[in-house]
Amino acid sequence: MIKRIVVPTDFSEEANYALDSAILLAEEYRSSIDLIHIIEDNTSSIAKLLGEEDELENPHHLRIKQVVLKKMEEIIDTNKKFQVEIKPVIEVANKFIKIIDIIKYMNTNLVIMGSKGSDGLEEVFVGSNADKITRYAHCPVITVKYRCDLRKIKNIVYPTDLEQEQEVVIKHLKHFQNLLKARIHILKVYTSALNVEGEVKTNIHKYADYFDITNYTVNTIFDEKESEGILDFAQSVDADIIAMGTHSKKGISAFFGGMISKNIVNHSPIPTWTKTMDINIPTY
């Protein structure tokens, strides 16, 4: 089950969409929500090294915390009609580092974040840090651009390069699929005319058998630009969400799970679900 959901907020419209979406899911599965706001202070890591953490609680930070807490309490009060526990969490720190800490040490099962759109993860909530969250979080991350009912997800598009290193991603994706009783549309976008469609479909079946995936369809599409092919396919099957593996590491080996997933999260009009391939810490 999804016991604990983290929703980062900067009080933007998109962050509010994420909270609304999280509340519906949390009420359905009796989850609690940690609504977190990080007051940016890049000097915090330096102060920690110098043993001066107590100095962070200066009057300026305290005033900001009071304002933020009041806004959070208003949001929580507005949503009292839902049977969901929402806990405000306010910290003064480097945003990316602190959010990852919270996700890890609060035994978070799911992160739900807001994103603007074409510039998505470069714009909302934690700026360029948001892309890092999708790559370094120890649990799945759902990114939304609009208010949506995640309980109604029935069609999941899962683009893959069919590599067996995706075991961690598949484990979490199958849990998500079973929870929602949804169908997975496994998709392989091939960018070379030399690929034989029949062979690609056979490999997808082998991939599904290897990971014991059930309730799925096999799909291939030719497109020289993989991101565009994924988005076009998702639209053609009226997908509710796109699920992808990503990498915390950088480099050529992480290309498919890195740049492509980032492009999809930024440009997809529907929610995206991402899970880091190379971090395997149980969250369910």
Side-chain angles (χ1 to χ4, degrees):
M1 295 296 291
I2 301 174
K3 296 180 180 179
R4 200 159 192 173
I5 300 172
V6 158
V7 179
T9 185
D10 58 357
F11 306 106
S12 65
E13 187 175 36
E14 290 77 18
N16 292 338
Y17 291 155
L19 179 60
D20 292 343
S21 302
I23 287 173
L24 293 177
L25 196 67
E27 187 174 49
E28 178 76 11
Y29 297 106
R30 299 180 180 179
S31 314
S32 63
I33 294 176
D34 293 301
L35 182 64
I36 66 174
H37 180 86
I38 309 300
I39 300 168
E40 185 79 59
D41 188 343
N42 292 322
T43 64
S44 60
S45 57
I46 298 174
K48 186 174 182 179
L49 288 172
L50 297 175
E52 298 175 353
E53 292 180 84
D54 292 341
E55 294 300 318
L56 295 178
E57 289 296 312
N58 61 48
H60 176 64
H61 290 149
L62 289 174
R63 286 195 296 271
I64 296 176
K65 280 188 173 183
Q66 290 171 355
V67 172
V68 171
L69 180 59
K70 183 177 180 181
K71 294 183 73 171
M72 283 187 162
E73 288 175 341
E74 290 173 354
I75 291 173
I76 293 171
D77 187 63
T78 300
N79 290 287
K80 275 187 176 179
K81 60 183 178 181
F82 298 100
Q83 300 301 308
V84 178
E85 178 187 5
I86 305 175
K87 177 184 176 181
V89 180
I90 306 168
E91 298 283 353
V92 178
N94 174 284
K95 287 184 178 179
F96 162 63
I97 294 173
K98 195 62 184 182
I99 291 170
I100 294 301
D101 284 346
I102 290 172
I103 292 169
K104 181 177 180 180
Y105 293 111
M106 287 189 170
N107 295 317
T108 303
N109 301 122
L110 179 66
V111 177
I112 301 180
M113 299 194 313
S115 171
K116 270 189 181 299
S118 61
D119 293 324
L121 297 184
E122 300 298 324
E123 295 289 339
V124 176
F125 179 55
V126 286
S128 60
N129 288 327
D131 175 53
K132 297 176 185 176
I133 293 171
T134 64
R135 291 190 291 114
Y136 286 93
H138 293 72
C139 64
V141 178
I142 292 179
T143 308
V144 302
K145 294 183 177 66
Y146 309 101
R147 185 179 292 105
C148 57
D149 193 342
L150 299 174
R151 301 170 301 177
K152 296 181 178 180
I153 290 174
K154 295 303 175 187
N155 288 293
I156 302 171
V157 168
Y158 178 59
T160 174
D161 56 5
L162 303 178
E163 294 296 328
Q164 293 183 357
E165 68 173 337
Q166 295 163 5
E167 181 177 359
V168 175
V169 178
I170 294 296
K171 169 190 171 184
H172 288 270
L173 181 58
K174 286 169 60 178
H175 177 89
F176 187 63
Q177 173 198 22
N178 293 333
L179 197 67
L180 298 167
K181 297 179 174 59
R183 171 167 288 192
I184 296 178
H185 301 278
I186 304 176
L187 173 66
K188 177 68 174 78
V189 180
Y190 57 96
T191 58
S192 172
L194 297 177
N195 290 110
V196 179
E197 185 177 5
E199 292 181 2
V200 176
K201 287 186 175 181
T202 297
N203 289 334
I204 294 175
H205 278 297
K206 290 179 179 179
Y207 178 85
D209 289 342
Y210 179 83
F211 288 115
D212 193 25
I213 301 173
T214 59
N215 191 16
Y216 70 93
T217 66
V218 170
N219 307 274
T220 62
I221 188 172
F222 171 77
D223 200 306
E224 293 180 354
K225 297 181 179 179
E226 290 183 65
S227 299
E228 292 182 8
I230 293 167
L231 293 173
D232 288 344
F233 176 80
Q235 183 178 14
S236 72
V237 296
D238 196 23
D240 300 306
I241 198 166
I242 297 174
M244 298 190 71
T246 186
H247 272 291
S248 64
K249 60 187 178 183
K250 296 181 179 180
I252 299 298
S253 63
F255 178 76
F256 184 86
M259 289 303 299
I260 293 178
S261 61
K262 180 178 179 179
N263 289 339
I264 295 299
V265 171
N266 283 343
H267 295 92
S268 173
I270 64 174
T272 58
W273 178 103
T274 56
K275 174 67 183 73
T276 303
M277 295 181 191
D278 47 337
I279 295 179
N280 186 13
I281 293 182
T283 58
Y284 293 114

